[in-house]
Amino acid sequence: MRITFICGSLNPGQDGVGDYTRRLAAQLALDGHDCQLIAINDVVGDEETADGTQIIRFKQLLSNPEKSQQAQQLIAQWQPEWISLQFVCFSFHPKGFIHRLTPFIQQCVGTAKLHIMFHELWVGEQPSLSFKHKVMGGIQRQLILKALRGWQVSAMHTSNALYQFVLSHHGYSASILPLFGNIPIETENEPNVAPSLDSKKRTLLFPFSQRHDWNVSETMERFRDLAHAAGVRLKLIQAGQIRAGSPHWSTIQEFCKTHEWECELLGPQTEQSISKLMHEADIGVSSAHIALAGKSGAVAAMQEHGLPVICTITDPISRRFKPDLNQTDELYSLFDDTTRLEYLFSSPKRFAPKARLPSVAKQLIESLSTSTT
């Protein structure tokens, strides 16, 4: 199958969806498919070939008719069977307004079929958002729904049940395509046991950043109570680019000092180093809501490495959507089911590491192959 992927940026290590697209295309190439990658709002203009895959990066293409026409010609010459739009509205416009993206995609499609992977929708579903963000989200919603009415979409995916519900509410059917991790597994033969040598210490790993509005004080107090109930002390490790989560870590460091816990703020690390930390930790921590854990590459990476993951956000994510919390031995919500969480801190259980990427690539191809529209 020949697939052209379109996304905002393909800047390596700096754009989550761009890294996702690169890794997915590399797996598809291994499976015998042909891929073309085009970024239309990147930080540089560049062209390269990686493992036989054509990668083309444009700066601010949507505001430049010449670049737009050039991209359309490159796609037409390559003759894809499918165009796969990796959708995050903020990737294409600083406020997420896609009025220029809509005609560009219409002009690119030609005889190809159009697939959309909704990594994000519009903002505004969360009741606690500010009035400003709700207004902005309303404009985003109108523009996205208008685009969907104009585009001839043959297949649609998203990574989580909330977005699936919202799209269904507006008359669009999207299947779930799980995310794979953003950190490759260095060793797939780690022992299926908690790795701590000290039976009274639990290592909690916080990969990458946390949300700017993360409930950090409540989270630390909850960890304190769970550690006390389990009779263990904690070691907290942050690894990866911290970005919006930076202000939280002074609070965390002070809390750890007060309770005589260890705390390491490592910052940016190689993928190999982060993979090693995921192998060595007892529990992974995410600032996502459990119902949105499916859209987090960090959560997927921790689960691929065999880590049980605790999601720490509990604010309502939608007035209409009633999530199935879907707590399992691999995924927990911090402020629910105290008994299970106390047992996790007392006897953390790791799982056999397993990469999802091959199965996700296979699922995508099977879905596109069976599309009848």
Side-chain angles (χ1 to χ4, degrees):
M1 188 175 289
R2 291 174 70 82
I3 306 173
T4 293
F5 289 94
I6 297 176
C7 61
S9 171
L10 288 164
N11 193 18
Q14 302 297 317
D15 187 274
V17 172
D19 290 343
Y20 167 95
T21 305
R22 282 178 178 269
R23 293 194 64 210
L24 178 57
Q27 180 64 49
L28 290 171
L30 285 175
D31 295 340
H33 305 284
D34 298 316
C35 298
Q36 178 188 53
L37 275 56
I38 296 182
I40 61 176
N41 193 29
D42 218 324
V43 295
V44 298
D46 193 15
E47 184 171 347
E48 62 178 291
T49 300
D51 300 322
T53 296
Q54 185 184 43
I55 300 173
I56 306 163
R57 300 166 64 186
F58 290 95
K59 288 181 66 176
Q60 299 178 336
L61 174 147
L62 295 176
S63 59
N64 187 315
E66 290 183 6
K67 290 181 181 179
S68 179
Q69 188 174 20
Q70 182 185 354
Q72 293 165 27
Q73 290 173 348
L74 287 168
I75 293 170
Q77 291 167 3
W78 201 73
Q79 296 183 324
E81 298 167 68
W82 283 89
I83 290 177
S84 177
L85 176 61
Q86 302 295 306
F87 189 89
V88 177
C89 59
F90 288 106
S91 291
F92 308 112
H93 185 275
K95 292 186 178 179
F97 299 159
I98 63 162
H99 52 291
R100 288 175 173 164
L101 177 70
T102 303
F104 172 74
I105 294 298
Q106 287 173 323
Q107 292 158 6
C108 285
V109 171
T111 59
K113 292 184 177 181
L114 178 61
H115 164 253
I116 303 178
M117 173 62 177
F118 279 106
H119 294 276
E120 299 276 2
L121 277 177
W122 49 81
V123 300
E125 288 295 319
Q126 189 175 340
S128 61
L129 286 177
S130 67
F131 176 75
K132 173 185 175 182
H133 282 94
K134 288 179 180 178
V135 170
M136 183 170 68
I139 297 171
Q140 292 172 355
R141 181 179 65 250
Q142 291 178 13
L143 291 171
I144 291 169
L145 293 176
K146 180 180 179 181
L148 289 176
R149 289 193 295 269
W151 293 337
Q152 297 295 315
V153 182
S154 296
M156 193 180 298
H157 286 103
T158 187
S159 61
N160 62 88
L162 171 62
Y163 293 170
Q164 185 182 46
F165 169 85
V166 172
L167 287 165
S168 176
H169 178 77
H170 290 282
Y172 297 98
S173 176
S175 300
I176 298 292
L177 184 68
L179 287 195
F180 46 84
N182 52 13
I183 298 295
I185 301 171
E186 279 299 294
T187 305
E188 295 210 23
N189 297 313
E190 292 294 311
N192 188 23
V193 296
S196 297
L197 297 177
D198 186 342
S199 63
K200 292 298 182 181
K201 182 171 73 175
R202 300 290 176 261
T203 300
L204 275 57
L205 179 65
F206 298 70
F208 308 108
S209 187
Q210 291 74 44
R211 286 172 34 168
H212 72 280
D213 58 348
W214 184 36
N215 50 336
V216 60
S217 295
E218 293 175 90
T219 297
M220 291 301 108
E221 290 166 3
R222 180 67 162 156
F223 284 155
R224 176 200 60 202
D225 295 343
L226 291 168
H228 178 75
V232 298
R233 64 186 185 280
L234 302 183
K235 177 180 180 179
L236 277 54
I237 300 177
Q238 185 282 331
Q241 294 197 46
I242 196 166
R243 295 175 179 161
S246 182
H248 301 309
W249 281 90
S250 58
T251 301
I252 293 172
Q253 288 173 315
E254 187 63 31
F255 195 95
C256 289
K257 183 178 179 180
T258 300
H259 293 84
E260 298 183 343
W261 296 348
E262 296 177 60
C263 182
E264 295 184 10
L265 189 58
L266 300 180
Q269 302 287 306
T270 65
E271 290 182 343
Q272 293 81 0
S273 295
I274 294 177
S275 179
K276 184 173 185 291
L277 289 167
M278 288 182 178
H279 282 309
E280 294 173 348
D282 295 298
I283 298 168
V285 181
S286 168
S287 66
H289 190 288
I290 191 170
L292 290 174
K295 66 185 285 291
S296 169
V299 170
M302 289 188 281
Q303 291 182 319
E304 285 183 339
H305 281 76
L307 267 179
V309 177
I310 298 177
C311 296
T312 58
I313 293 288
T314 58
D315 289 347
I317 54 174
S318 171
R319 286 191 174 91
R320 295 170 297 180
F321 178 66
K322 304 301 180 185
D324 176 3
L325 292 182
N326 193 31
Q327 296 189 83
T328 67
D329 288 341
E330 299 179 22
L331 193 63
Y332 298 77
S333 181
L334 183 58
F335 297 94
D336 296 297
D337 201 348
T338 298
T339 301
R340 292 179 66 250
L341 285 164
E342 288 179 355
Y343 185 77
L344 175 66
F345 274 69
S346 176
S347 303
K349 178 185 177 183
R350 292 184 59 93
F351 302 88
K354 183 179 181 181
R356 295 179 184 172
L357 176 54
S359 63
V360 171
K362 181 180 179 182
Q363 181 180 337
L364 173 62
I365 292 298
E366 289 177 350
S367 178
L368 299 185
S369 298
T370 56
S371 173
T372 57
T373 56

